[in-house]
Amino acid sequence: MYDLIDILCILSGGYLVYAALVMKLKGRIVSNVVLSKSMDENAIRDKEGLIRYLYGKLLFFGCIIILSSIANLVNEHMAGPGIVTVITCCIFAIAIVGYGVVTNRALKKYTK
């Protein structure tokens, strides 16, 4: 059961990395990662500024989520100490909260 959750977390972290790369390379905002449901891409005042602001941060949080999920998955299969699971879950939670804070700040700063 927990393996499935770890795999889904790895995939979601990969999607954050993908969204960051699409924003940087194609200059296109991946709306379901950055924008809220009610917001349109036309509401962004400075698209390039938003991309510059979010690129490194999304890449960082995506990689942290991937690495912590992989570490937790490996720890579960190796029957490692429970403290490793607690630490990886805390790192994952901090990364999710950080992602939320960063995207909210970006939306406040770069939208109309």
Side-chain angles (χ1 to χ4, degrees):
M1 172 65 179
Y2 294 117
D3 292 347
L4 178 63
I5 293 171
D6 285 329
I7 291 169
L8 290 174
C9 291
I10 291 167
L11 292 174
S12 66
Y15 191 65
L16 279 180
V17 171
Y18 165 78
L21 292 174
V22 165
M23 287 191 330
K24 184 70 172 184
L25 298 175
K26 295 186 179 180
R28 187 172 50 93
I29 303 291
V30 180
S31 60
N32 59 348
V33 172
V34 177
L35 304 176
S36 62
K37 286 184 180 180
S38 63
M39 192 173 290
D40 188 31
E41 194 172 328
N42 297 327
I44 300 171
R45 285 184 284 133
D46 182 12
K47 190 174 175 180
E48 291 79 26
L50 178 70
I51 291 171
R52 274 193 314 273
Y53 182 81
L54 284 177
Y55 170 69
K57 294 168 179 69
L58 287 181
L59 205 59
F60 173 75
F61 288 128
C63 290
I64 293 298
I65 289 169
I66 291 169
L67 293 175
S68 67
S69 299
I70 289 172
N72 194 40
L73 190 64
V74 169
N75 185 55
E76 294 284 327
H77 282 281
M78 303 284 285
I83 191 70
V84 174
T85 301
V86 172
I87 291 170
T88 57
C89 288
C90 288
I91 291 170
F92 177 81
I94 290 168
I96 293 294
V97 169
Y99 160 73
V101 168
V102 164
T103 54
N104 281 334
R105 284 184 186 165
L107 291 178
K108 287 179 184 177
K109 186 174 181 179
Y110 292 101
T111 57
K112 298 176 186 173

